[in-house]
Amino acid sequence: MISTAHRLVNLEDLHQAMRQGRDLLYPSEPKIMIGTATCGLAADAEEVLHAVREEVANSKLPYQVTETGCIGWCSQEPLLDICIPGRPRVTYGRMKPGRAREIVRAIPEVKREWALAMMPGDENTLNGAHVNYCVPHNGHMDGLTAYKDLPLFKRQLRIVLRNCGIINPDNLEEYIARGGYHALWHALRKHTPEEILNEVKRSGLRGRGGAGFPTGVKWQAVRDAQGEPKYVICNADEGDPGAYMDRGVLEGDPHSVLEGMTIGGYAMGAHEGIIYVREEYPLAVMRMKQAIRQAQDAGLLGQSIFDSGFSFEIRVVKGAGAFVCGEETALIRSIEGKVGEPQQRPPYPAQHGLWGKPTCINNVETWANIAVIVQRGGDWFSQIGTAKSKGTKVFSLVGNIENTALIEVPMGTTLAEIVYEIGGGVPNGRACKAVQTGGPSGGCIPADKFDLPVDYDSLNQAGSIMGSGGMIVMDDHTCMVDIAKYFLEFLEDESCGKCFTCRVGTQRLKEIVTRISQGEGKEEDLDLLQDLSWLVREGSLCGLGQTAPNPVLSTLRYFRSEYLAHIRDRRCPAHRCRELITFAIDPVLCNGCGACVQICSGKAILGEKKKPHIITQAQCTKCGACLEMCKFDAVLVH
Amino acid sequence: MVHITMNGLAVEAECGSSLLEVARFYNFPIPTLCHEDGLNSYGACRLCLVEIGEGPKSKLVAACGYRVEEGMKVRTNSMRVQRARRLLLELYVATCPQSKRIQDLASEYGVRQCRYQPVDGQPGAPWDPKANCIQCGLCVRICAEQMMAGAIGFSGRGKSRHVARPFGMTSEQCRQCGACLYACPVCELRCQASTAESLLCNGCLNFSPVCFQSYSDAMCFLEPCHTCELSGPFRHEVGIKVHALHDAGQKVAPSTGELK
Ligand SMILES: Cc1cc2nc3c(=O)[nH]c(=O)nc-3n(C[C@H](O)[C@H](O)[C@H](O)COP(=O)(O)O)c2cc1C
Ligand code: SF4
Ligand code: SF4
Ligand code: FES
């Protein structure tokens, strides 16, 4: 649904839009919501949406059907929510079109056997408001767990994700109904730029793009810098494998980023903003462009916003999806149409950025925090988190984890709480071995260090980094040498290639780690890995090179014995490195069912029906398919 | 003028000058591979690393691109710098063992081992533009900045990055001037001594160095290459640079430079 808001000039207009938005958010007839962020679409949410629309149209049901962003429960996508006035919102997971139709037909009955959870009301961290959908404990939902009692959501505090999965991101009024653009109004009409800047400083907010630089300090530098015009940029490049926090925000709550950037522009004296998004995020690009149009139509972008005399415009620039273009100086060059190679700092972008002008670059998540800080005050924000890391952080929890999820927790939450409580631990009864934070620049933290609080400084000390918030959980079937190799492969492709240390260093690191994974390594290779890692870290220009050895260094630090097993015993303890393992069939356990023969792509398994089978080693490609296939545990790996 | 401390010495430097310029002015040696006066600094080879700052905040930066700042402390030969140079040159030797310039630097800065496998083929093999180019970018910059042609550039990123002509063809911008060939620091003089047992030459540490002849293959982006055409009769003479690609069919004997 495209908004048809007229120009909003004063607080009364904003309240008017808020009332319209409330009617959409909490309509008087039943509302059906389908999560159609990229994670939902990947699980065929489109089909579910289509089926529901058809069902409603065909049966002429008086229901509203809307889309929403990602609420973070990615393992249960596609999600379908039914909101009936006076009742809690009920969530159904893993929807198929047929089942969705049945659920719709059953309204107002709840299909309890398929329901995942219910939401008796929503909270809004932006203004502290609670909206109750129903009288609490009215008995409607006995047996269904409330969201806030689910382990996945219990510990979460959703500031950045406050609207994701709640509002329809296509709809400006729904954003305003949740208190959106009020902070902008207050900033422009009631505060000076200095006051806003001080509020951001007081909040203690640090950049969420990786390095954790204090946002207020950066803003001050841009404000004080000589040169006009000034620019603000939103860094939505998000290139880490397994990370999709920024995508979740852009797709689920685009206006929160626009509002943050506009407030930032006011505080720093900039009049132009640019959102740099990778082209691989077509939905995010579409949603942002649409949100910009809506904001322009409503006068929330453009000339003299809220009649304050302050003008601001935002446009979207698409990047071609190079990891290194997330680095701020490379990003600037990419916007300028040049090759995305990082540049020597100083001069910092704050002094000499886009087109040589003072430029403030912040991450999507950083921007999405701004409206809340302005609305509730820096002091409120700084109560959340730890002494040096304030507020919350969004993580994408992926890998060998029960609940693949997009979560937001206060800084200082421990890894154990995140992995075991929120994430539900490792599936299939396996043990958790380590978690990789910070993407390719980060490191692996072993399970026995999981009491580590997650904040910038603790993670640094443990040899990893916060990074932008990807968290990859690994079970005991993960080989750490293999993991190091995986990240080096990523980095040798994604380094811009300018620095000799980074370009050649990552290739050589990979060469050595590969050698070790093939059982050809020598013990001296570990010293060489240390030396070379040191050189790459010390000698490279930008953050990519300086952190590229982290995956090697952290695995060497915590899992040295695993490297030694590969070298000394030519053995891969996790049975992952193909060159070092052999598959065999236990003649006692094998009952000759032949299931493995069908699955083996190398035609390596021979045997008569009902007789023990054998694997011809020369033909075996070591893919492990037979191991997965055999129901009698007869396939052995050495 | 700004005031900085360089290797403990209080010195003055012109605003906006690079640490490398200041160091050279005061005669502190800093090795470089990707810097040439008259071309913009690029920061690719990392060999000019120096240490700035003090205590836990100190770090290594490339002197060629780092501008002087008032009050900064610079060390051009600290332990950290020396270690970085040694490890770096070890990596360079492995990448381009045929280059006399690199072998000389390795000897000079005390590289005594090379723990890497050769990148391509055996040591002493002809210069291979894909494998042995150190991507210092001098050829690209001299073409763009001095010849005002911009006929070559870098293509790709990460491990597939290489110097290339647009679409692999010589463009109309190319005046066939040969500046790229002139600028290349590693393909002119060939180190003769690196053997299969060790990539590292260190010949100059002996009483009778063996590097007295140059190889007859080199990298240039000319098509056809004037040097090669003109230098046919002279190609065995010392110091003449010839196009590697033209020699693709004719293997060059590593020790003598003679055609097999
Ligand atoms: C190799 C590399 C990749 C990066 N990728 C991103 C990214 O995808 N998104 C991002 O916000 N910051 C990224 N950064 C960090 C940015 O350079 C910059 O610090 C950040 O955008 C500043 O915003 P913040 O202060 O809000 O964190 C990357 C840095 C490096 C070195
Ligand atoms: S460190 Fe790597 S990515 Fe960064 S500028 Fe150097 S080569 Fe490029
Ligand atoms: S060809 Fe020579 S000059 Fe050009 S980048 Fe390679 S090493 Fe440098
Ligand atoms: S001379 Fe400074 S990096 Fe090459």
Side-chain angles (χ1 to χ4, degrees):
Chain A
M1 203 182 304
I2 302 286
S3 308
T4 50
H6 64 312
R7 212 178 123 77
L8 309 175
V9 180
N10 49 38
L11 201 55
E12 191 37 54
D13 297 337
L14 209 51
H15 286 157
Q16 170 73 21
M18 198 166 183
R19 282 190 290 273
Q20 289 173 2
R22 281 216 186 106
D23 291 344
L24 292 168
L25 259 183
Y26 314 113
S28 51
E29 63 272 16
K31 180 166 94 164
I32 304 161
M33 294 205 289
I34 291 138
T36 52
T38 297
C39 42
L41 292 177
D44 287 337
E46 189 92 58
E47 280 180 24
V48 177
L49 179 65
H50 191 73
V52 170
R53 285 236 161 94
E54 208 175 61
E55 187 66 39
V56 169
N58 285 353
S59 316
K60 303 209 168 47
L61 299 167
Y63 305 157
Q64 278 204 25
V65 183
T66 77
E67 299 177 41
T68 190
C70 171
I71 202 158
W73 207 343
C74 309
S75 53
Q76 297 293 335
E77 295 277 8
L79 294 168
L80 175 94
D81 282 272
I82 309 284
C83 316
I84 301 173
R87 305 260 191 96
R89 163 177 165 177
V90 178
T91 302
Y92 298 89
R94 303 226 168 123
M95 273 300 109
K96 292 272 179 291
R99 200 171 264 194
R101 281 174 202 267
E102 269 187 65
I103 291 169
V104 170
R105 275 198 297 267
I107 292 175
E109 285 309 309
V110 172
K111 286 281 185 189
R112 213 156 294 206
E113 63 277 26
W114 300 332
L116 287 177
M118 58 109 176
M119 200 187 274
D122 60 48
E123 288 169 29
N124 190 351
T125 43
L126 176 60
N127 47 22
H130 290 259
V131 175
N132 285 327
Y133 301 161
C134 57
V135 185
H137 306 299
N138 60 0
H140 275 305
M141 296 299 142
D142 288 344
L144 274 186
T145 323
Y147 263 84
K148 63 175 173 29
D149 296 327
L150 284 171
L152 177 60
F153 289 89
K154 204 192 269 176
R155 285 188 180 274
Q156 290 200 42
L157 175 63
R158 295 165 80 91
I159 295 177
V160 170
L161 301 178
R162 58 191 179 270
N163 289 328
C164 289
I166 305 283
I167 64 166
N168 178 353
D170 289 335
N171 214 305
L172 170 62
E173 285 86 351
E174 292 195 16
Y175 177 72
I176 295 176
R178 300 259 305 160
Y181 286 111
H182 286 66
L184 180 63
W185 186 87
H186 274 277
L188 296 188
R189 300 299 301 271
K190 299 278 174 204
H191 295 287
T192 62
E194 287 81 6
E195 283 167 355
I196 299 298
L197 227 160
N198 284 334
E199 215 55 55
V200 173
K201 273 193 193 158
R202 198 164 25 241
S203 73
L205 177 67
R206 292 169 67 174
R208 302 295 195 238
F213 190 81
T215 305
V217 177
K218 191 189 281 185
W219 286 23
Q220 183 78 58
V222 175
R223 182 171 173 76
D224 295 345
Q226 300 289 317
E228 289 290 335
K230 292 174 178 164
Y231 297 100
V232 299
I233 295 178
C234 170
N235 185 345
D237 190 58
E238 195 163 69
D240 307 16
Y244 53 98
M245 300 76 50
D246 296 349
R247 189 186 73 199
V249 177
L250 298 178
E251 290 179 355
D253 195 14
H255 284 284
S256 68
V257 178
L258 300 185
E259 187 179 1
M261 290 175 73
T262 312
I263 295 172
Y266 176 67
M268 288 178 269
H271 299 285
E272 189 178 342
I274 293 169
I275 302 174
Y276 184 88
V277 198
R278 56 174 42 221
E279 202 161 40
E280 285 97 324
Y281 284 179
L283 184 62
V285 171
M286 192 278 280
R287 287 256 161 85
M288 284 324 289
K289 286 191 168 164
Q290 174 181 303
I292 291 170
R293 261 195 314 276
Q294 290 168 349
Q296 284 166 341
D297 290 346
L300 300 167
L301 283 175
Q303 294 297 315
S304 189
I305 299 164
F306 289 128
D307 272 351
S308 63
F310 171 72
S311 308
F312 197 70
E313 285 294 353
I314 297 181
R315 65 191 171 97
V316 171
V317 171
K318 287 189 283 182
F323 175 61
V324 70
C325 285
E327 199 281 338
E328 53 188 21
T329 55
L331 186 148
I332 287 173
R333 284 178 65 91
S334 171
I335 294 177
E336 289 174 348
K338 300 181 185 143
V339 179
E341 280 175 7
Q343 302 297 304
Q344 176 73 54
R345 297 175 306 175
Y348 288 92
Q351 280 86 36
H352 188 93
L354 185 61
W355 312 115
K357 303 295 180 194
T359 303
C360 173
I361 301 192
N362 279 126
N363 171 256
V364 172
E365 210 183 314
T366 317
W367 288 119
N369 271 305
I370 297 299
V372 183
I373 290 171
V374 170
Q375 184 88 25
R376 304 201 76 172
D379 290 332
W380 176 83
F381 190 85
S382 68
Q383 290 163 12
I384 306 164
T386 64
K388 285 193 175 162
S389 305
K390 302 296 184 193
T392 57
K393 179 76 193 86
V394 183
F395 292 103
S396 55
L397 200 55
V398 297
N400 306 125
I401 186 94
E402 195 64 55
N403 300 324
T404 302
L406 195 64
I407 58 161
E408 181 173 355
V409 289
M411 296 275 188
T413 308
T414 65
L415 278 173
E417 286 164 337
I418 294 179
V419 173
Y420 298 123
E421 286 185 39
I422 299 177
V426 170
N428 305 328
R430 292 196 177 139
C432 184
K433 183 167 186 176
V435 52
Q436 221 277 351
T437 71
S441 318
C444 295
I445 299 171
D448 57 21
K449 294 263 180 319
F450 275 12
D451 52 353
L452 194 80
V454 176
D455 60 52
Y456 294 100
D457 310 295
S458 309
L459 284 174
N460 271 350
Q461 267 164 28
S464 185
I465 59 164
M466 177 79 86
S468 46
M471 229 180 231
I472 306 176
V473 182
M474 295 177 265
D475 69 16
D476 54 1
H477 279 218
T478 317
C479 169
M480 298 323 264
V481 181
D482 195 49
I483 288 294
K485 190 169 95 183
Y486 167 78
F487 281 111
L488 288 168
E489 262 162 22
F490 178 85
L491 288 162
E492 72 171 0
D493 284 336
E494 291 298 328
S495 149
C496 84
K498 176 159 114 171
C499 304
F500 185 79
T501 41
C502 172
R503 183 187 71 251
V504 179
T506 50
Q507 289 175 48
R508 289 294 190 171
L509 284 171
K510 195 205 81 178
E511 179 188 304
I512 302 165
V513 170
T514 306
R515 196 157 73 213
I516 294 174
S517 79
Q518 293 169 344
E520 320 258 289
K522 298 185 293 270
E523 268 179 60
E524 301 90 83
D525 282 342
L526 298 187
D527 295 334
L528 185 55
L529 278 180
Q530 295 276 10
D531 277 355
L532 183 54
S533 295
W534 181 86
L535 176 69
V536 175
R537 193 184 66 209
E538 296 273 324
S540 300
L541 171 66
C542 84
L544 191 151
Q546 287 162 3
T547 55
N550 279 354
V552 180
L553 288 174
S554 67
T555 48
L556 257 181
R557 171 168 164 191
Y558 295 119
F559 300 97
R560 198 179 179 88
S561 61
E562 232 169 277
Y563 279 84
L564 287 173
H566 284 76
I567 296 172
R568 287 185 188 152
D569 314 334
R570 293 181 43 85
R571 187 173 62 82
C572 174
H575 299 317
R576 278 280 147 190
C577 296
R578 287 185 179 201
E579 282 78 6
L580 300 184
I581 52 175
T582 44
F583 289 88
I585 292 174
D586 185 324
V588 180
L589 290 175
C590 174
N591 69 358
C593 73
C596 54
V597 180
Q598 309 298 324
I599 200 86
C600 178
S601 56
K603 306 222 180 308
I605 305 181
L606 305 172
E608 285 173 44
K609 270 249 172 270
K610 306 225 165 103
K611 298 252 172 67
H613 285 39
I614 51 162
I615 299 179
T616 5
Q617 293 304 331
Q619 242 106 310
C620 174
T621 60
K622 315 214 172 145
C623 66
C626 51
L627 183 71
E628 302 284 320
M629 198 66 194
C630 182
K631 292 197 182 67
F632 308 98
D633 294 331
V635 178
L636 310 171
V637 210
H638 306 288
Chain B
M1 280 291 182
V2 291
H3 303 83
I4 68 170
T5 314
M6 189 167 267
N7 297 337
L9 204 69
V11 301
E12 276 194 339
E14 224 165 290
C15 272
S17 54
S18 72
L19 295 179
L20 182 67
E21 284 163 340
V22 181
R24 296 223 156 135
F25 182 80
Y26 289 101
N27 249 330
F28 294 118
I30 295 179
T32 61
L33 275 171
C34 76
H35 178 85
E36 256 340 306
D37 288 339
L39 296 180
N40 285 333
S41 69
Y42 186 51
C45 77
R46 315 309 291 169
L47 196 57
C48 65
L49 291 173
V50 295
E51 187 169 355
I52 61 169
E54 279 178 304
K57 288 231 148 164
S58 70
K59 59 178 179 186
L60 299 183
V61 299
C64 63
Y66 207 99
R67 314 257 150 235
V68 287
E69 292 156 18
E70 181 63 39
M72 78 192 288
K73 296 205 163 46
V74 186
R75 278 169 292 172
T76 66
N77 207 24
S78 64
M79 295 297 278
R80 196 159 159 197
V81 171
Q82 291 184 21
R83 179 173 182 215
R85 270 182 201 152
R86 262 199 311 277
L87 288 169
L88 196 47
L89 282 165
E90 183 184 353
L91 203 54
Y92 270 114
V93 167
T95 306
C96 189
Q98 306 94 324
S99 160
K100 176 154 163 30
R101 174 107 178 249
I102 286 174
Q103 293 285 0
D104 286 352
L105 282 167
S107 296
E108 186 178 344
Y109 287 93
V111 181
R112 296 292 175 261
Q113 58 176 352
C114 180
R115 294 167 285 175
Y116 303 99
Q117 314 270 323
V119 264
D120 221 346
Q122 291 302 306
W127 207 84
D128 174 350
K130 277 262 167 2
N132 300 135
C133 168
I134 59 167
Q135 302 197 13
C136 66
L138 281 173
C139 53
V140 175
R141 274 174 291 151
I142 203 165
C143 183
E145 294 170 19
Q146 292 292 339
M147 301 306 151
M148 313 318 257
I152 51 177
F154 282 111
S155 166
R157 69 165 178 265
K159 70 165 192 262
S160 33
R161 189 177 189 256
H162 61 282
V163 180
R165 299 168 296 171
F167 308 105
M169 293 178 298
T170 302
S171 71
E172 284 170 13
Q173 306 301 321
C174 178
R175 270 182 254 114
Q176 311 277 330
C177 66
C180 49
L181 181 57
Y182 165 81
C184 184
V186 298
C187 65
E188 49 170 8
L189 278 177
R190 289 315 152 97
C191 178
Q192 302 279 300
S194 65
T195 61
E197 293 88 64
S198 156
L199 287 173
L200 193 62
C201 165
N202 270 338
C204 0
L205 301 183
N206 300 329
F207 284 111
S208 50
V210 275
C211 38
F212 41 76
Q213 261 189 325
S214 75
Y215 278 72
S216 57
D217 56 328
M219 178 154 177
C220 82
F221 293 91
L222 309 180
E223 200 179 52
C225 172
H226 295 331
T227 323
C228 304
E229 275 175 359
L230 294 178
S231 66
F234 308 112
R235 50 167 45 193
H236 302 306
E237 279 186 21
V238 175
I240 301 255
K241 310 163 192 171
V242 196
H243 198 307
L245 300 175
H246 294 197
D247 279 343
Q250 306 159 305
K251 287 268 179 297
V252 180
S255 53
T256 60
E258 265 170 37
L259 293 175
K260 275 183 188 160

